[in-house]
Amino acid sequence: MPESSVEFSNVSYALPSGRLLLEDVSLRLEPGTTTALLGRSGSGKTTLLRMVNGLVMPTSGETLVSGRPSSGWDLLELRRGIGYVIQETGLFPHMNVARNAGLAMELARRPAAEIAERVAAVMNSAGLDPSFANRMPWELSGGQRQRVGLARALATDPGILLMDEPFGALDPMTRAEMQTMLRDLLHRVRKTVLLVTHDLDEALYLAERVVFVESGKLVAELAACEVLRSENPHVQAYVNAVHRAVR
């Protein structure tokens, strides 16, 4: 995939009932940067994220991936250039770790030796010892399963990485470990990342830019270093709700 930019140009999305889930959203993700989407449940964050890989198509406006409207891509080609990490990991229970991690390459009919070499590399990047290769998903902890999901998303070396609440089901200590691993990894590989999270501290730790979505509208877009001192009322309300125990 060429320059891995993502742009939402006046994007709206309405259900068949006419209810708007997204309304006139314009946003550009610069190549090699991480952008976090924050907002209440049901605010439209995941719908916006799914427009990048064509799981949702806008009712109006355009989503452009590497300068090309998503409607103009062959969806298989588009998705091969995009890694996708979700909270539930989506690992296949009947496949071991190595096969789960290399599945996208297997489906692309890459040679077995190439798959094995790449799987070893991405497992190492995700902090998984080679001894995990033959384990089954049910033998892993939640954090280990999430590392496998991340390794799988990176296996084809995509230019774009979509992450939808990837650490939401983890305990605080494991979540912090995963965040540290991910930040170090993203600094090395420089993917264009769109991260959906409810965790403000996670967004500030991982992302260069933070975007706030409310009722389907983009209400703030800030550098991460500007969030805590922002005077935008939507941002202040979110910060106060998250940090209300801080005195």
Side-chain angles (χ1 to χ4, degrees):
M1 181 178 284
E3 181 190 67
S4 300
S5 62
V6 175
E7 184 173 358
F8 303 97
S9 179
N10 303 112
V11 162
S12 295
Y13 179 73
L15 297 174
S17 65
R19 184 166 73 90
L20 277 174
L21 297 187
L22 291 171
E23 184 176 354
D24 197 30
V25 173
S26 292
L27 175 66
R28 177 176 169 82
L29 313 183
E30 295 298 329
T33 65
T34 298
T35 301
L37 290 180
L38 282 171
R40 296 172 182 265
S41 297
S43 61
K45 304 184 302 299
T46 294
T47 301
L48 192 64
L49 177 141
R50 289 177 176 172
M51 284 185 175
V52 179
N53 62 358
L55 290 174
V56 175
M57 291 296 184
T59 307
S60 62
E62 288 186 330
T63 305
L64 298 103
V65 179
S66 299
R68 192 193 312 180
S70 55
S71 58
W73 281 89
D74 173 84
L75 286 180
L76 184 58
E77 179 189 2
L78 174 67
R79 290 169 186 167
R80 280 178 176 165
I82 299 173
Y84 195 12
V85 185
I86 59 176
Q87 180 175 321
E88 298 83 7
T89 73
L91 300 182
F92 290 96
H94 61 289
M95 296 181 182
N96 65 19
V97 164
R99 191 166 178 215
N100 264 292
L103 186 59
M105 296 185 71
E106 182 180 329
L107 293 174
R109 301 184 183 277
R110 306 307 303 166
E114 180 185 339
I115 294 174
E117 181 179 359
R118 181 62 181 164
V119 164
V122 293
M123 284 179 58
N124 180 64
S125 294
L128 287 168
D129 188 88
S131 63
F132 281 84
N134 291 317
R135 295 192 190 182
M136 304 302 288
W138 52 268
E139 297 180 284
L140 307 179
S141 68
Q144 290 165 349
R145 286 194 297 272
Q146 204 60 33
R147 289 175 189 267
V148 179
L150 178 60
R152 180 178 60 188
L154 294 172
T156 58
D157 196 21
I160 295 167
L161 189 60
L162 305 178
M163 309 191 78
D164 192 359
E165 283 286 346
F167 308 140
L170 303 179
D171 65 84
M173 293 296 290
T174 303
R175 185 168 187 151
E177 292 169 358
M178 292 295 294
Q179 290 166 351
T180 299
M181 178 274 297
L182 181 61
R183 188 168 77 163
D184 291 344
L185 175 61
L186 293 180
H187 284 170
R188 296 197 307 271
V189 300
R190 303 310 297 177
K191 305 296 182 184
T192 303
V193 182
L194 185 58
L195 168 70
V196 166
T197 180
H198 291 101
D199 187 329
L200 175 63
D201 291 331
E202 179 171 270
L204 299 181
Y205 186 72
L206 293 174
E208 285 98 347
R209 299 198 67 76
V210 180
V211 174
F212 291 81
V213 182
E214 187 168 311
S215 301
K217 297 180 181 179
L218 192 159
V219 295
E221 178 187 356
L222 301 164
C225 62
E226 298 173 351
V227 170
L228 296 181
R229 60 175 182 263
S230 173
E231 296 183 0
N232 182 303
H234 300 283
V235 176
Q236 288 183 335
Y238 204 99
V239 171
N240 290 337
V242 173
H243 291 167
R244 59 183 178 169
V246 177
R247 295 290 184 266

